[in-house]
Amino acid sequence: MGKFVNPFTDIGFKRIFGQEVSKPLLLDFLNNLLKGERTITDLRFLDKEQPADYREDRSLIYDIFCMTDTGEKIIVEMQNKEQPHFADRCLYYYSQAVSRQGEKGADWDYHINAVYLVAFVNFHMDGLGDNFRTDVVLMNKQLNEVFSDKERFIFLQLPVFHKEAEECNDDFERWIYVLKNMEILDRMPWVAKDSVFRKLAEIGEVSNMTKDERIKYDAALRHYRDTLNVMRGAENKGHQQGLIEGLQKGRQQGLTEGRQQGLTEGRQQGLTEGRQQGLTEGRKQAILLTAKNLFAMGLSKEQIAKATGLSLTDLEKL
């Protein structure tokens, strides 16, 4: 058990950002995220005001919904695993936050406040490349200008953030470093000169939880770890099964093609020579086809070389 809470659990995330006592932390994080654009002076949590349309696996997906003092809605969420249509899911959440601003009656003029969706993405997300931060807005394609400032998505791809504490250049990067490493920290950095991180250390320290809070947190942490272990096990099993099937398929297809080629050439050059060449070619074709199948499955050259016995030079020729 670490000294500080794991922010990748539902309870840990909500403890840091989703309770009244931690509101200064959320304000500081959002203001550093939006530094140079605007300053949020206050906000109100709206989670309890929103109807629950459905619930997903709360050990992996959870969010905080709040409204600033000037009316903007902000969704802050943690996404721990890749899922189909994640970008569409973000659009759906955004649309819900927009549509709920509608007012009944003929007098409503369709004025809406901006909605920001801030997503901590704890995996490599399609379409983000190697960028840690990706900002998405509604654009006029012809003019290459922002069409509306009411729509804003900010994706923070955590696996590509590799800075150590001494390499962080500003408070935003310090926030990301702490959130990514919080569970394994022995002490909270920057507490001597920054009251925000002193507050974070106080709120985030496991020993400061009540007995009931600790029981709920321990259960959430076990659930989070168990779920990730199941996911890793399934991925490893699929990888091994794919490797075995790829080898079997490559060998069978290569032997079949090799035998057929050997028989054809054997009729022309002599049955004995044909059989020998067919077997040789069959083995070669099997190995090459296996390598191609493994390439298609996404294995590295080093893994393929180890599985097939081919050299890296041979693999470069495929």
Side-chain angles (χ1 to χ4, degrees), residues 17 29 36 50 75 80 89 91 103 122 136 175 182-183 187 214 226 243 266-268 291 302:
F17 284 135
F29 172 78
Q50 304 307 307
I75 302 168
N80 274 314
R89 177 181 175 275
L91 284 169
E103 298 178 7
N122 202 18
V136 179
W175 261 111
M182 193 164 176
E183 190 191 21
R187 62 179 183 84
R214 180 64 180 270
D226 289 346
L243 178 60
R267 293 187 185 99
Q268 298 173 352
E302 289 75 15

Side-chain angles (χ1 to χ4, degrees), residues 8-178:
F8 301 112
T9 62
D10 184 24
I11 290 177
F13 186 68
K14 291 286 180 66
R15 187 172 180 84
I16 295 170
F17 284 135
Q19 53 182 345
E20 283 296 324
V21 69
S22 61
K23 185 187 293 185
L25 300 180
L26 181 59
L27 277 169
D28 186 81
F29 172 78
L30 291 174
N31 281 325
N32 277 288
L33 179 75
L34 301 173
K35 192 171 185 177
E37 299 181 32
R38 57 154 305 163
T39 299
I40 304 171
T41 58
D42 195 13
L43 52 80
R44 176 165 59 94
F45 293 109
L46 302 177
D47 299 69
K48 295 180 180 179
E49 300 177 16
Q50 304 307 307
D53 294 332
Y54 64 93
R55 284 286 182 246
E56 300 181 68
D57 184 348
R58 302 308 291 177
S59 69
L60 293 170
I61 306 166
Y62 30 89
D63 53 62
I64 293 166
F65 190 38
C66 56
M67 182 173 69
T68 70
D69 53 314
T70 50
E72 294 94 341
K73 306 295 194 303
I74 300 179
I75 302 168
V76 185
E77 80 164 38
M78 177 72 72
Q79 175 75 10
N80 274 314
K81 72 168 183 176
E82 187 174 7
Q83 66 170 208
H85 314 300
F86 177 61
D88 291 345
R89 177 181 175 275
C90 291
L91 284 169
Y92 174 79
Y93 270 24
Y94 165 82
S95 299
Q96 292 281 303
V98 170
S99 64
R100 287 172 181 154
Q101 296 183 46
E103 298 178 7
K104 294 181 179 180
D107 294 334
W108 184 48
D109 61 1
Y110 292 95
H111 171 77
I112 60 172
N113 292 310
V115 176
Y116 294 75
L117 189 147
V118 181
F120 292 95
V121 182
N122 202 18
F123 59 90
H124 290 277
M125 179 178 168
D126 290 342
L128 301 189
D130 293 327
N131 295 317
F132 162 61
R133 174 174 177 166
T134 299
D135 290 62
V136 179
V137 296
L138 193 63
M139 296 288 293
N140 181 318
K141 188 174 182 179
Q142 280 71 34
L143 298 178
N144 195 32
E145 296 176 350
V146 175
F147 177 74
S148 172
D149 62 358
K150 301 298 178 68
E151 178 178 299
R152 180 74 172 275
F153 299 88
I154 303 175
F155 297 99
L156 304 174
Q157 196 172 205
L158 296 176
V160 300
F161 184 88
H162 301 296
K163 288 190 175 184
E164 297 297 331
E166 62 275 9
E167 297 175 315
C168 295
N169 297 315
D170 51 40
D171 284 340
F172 176 65
E173 291 186 348
R174 295 183 185 102
W175 261 111
I176 300 303
Y177 171 82
V178 168

Side-chain angles (χ1 to χ4, degrees), residues 256-274:
T256 300
E257 293 178 359
R259 288 190 185 111
Q260 184 61 44
Q261 185 176 345
L263 288 172
T264 301
E265 295 179 0
R267 293 187 185 99
Q268 298 173 352
Q269 300 177 14
L271 187 58
T272 302
E273 181 182 351

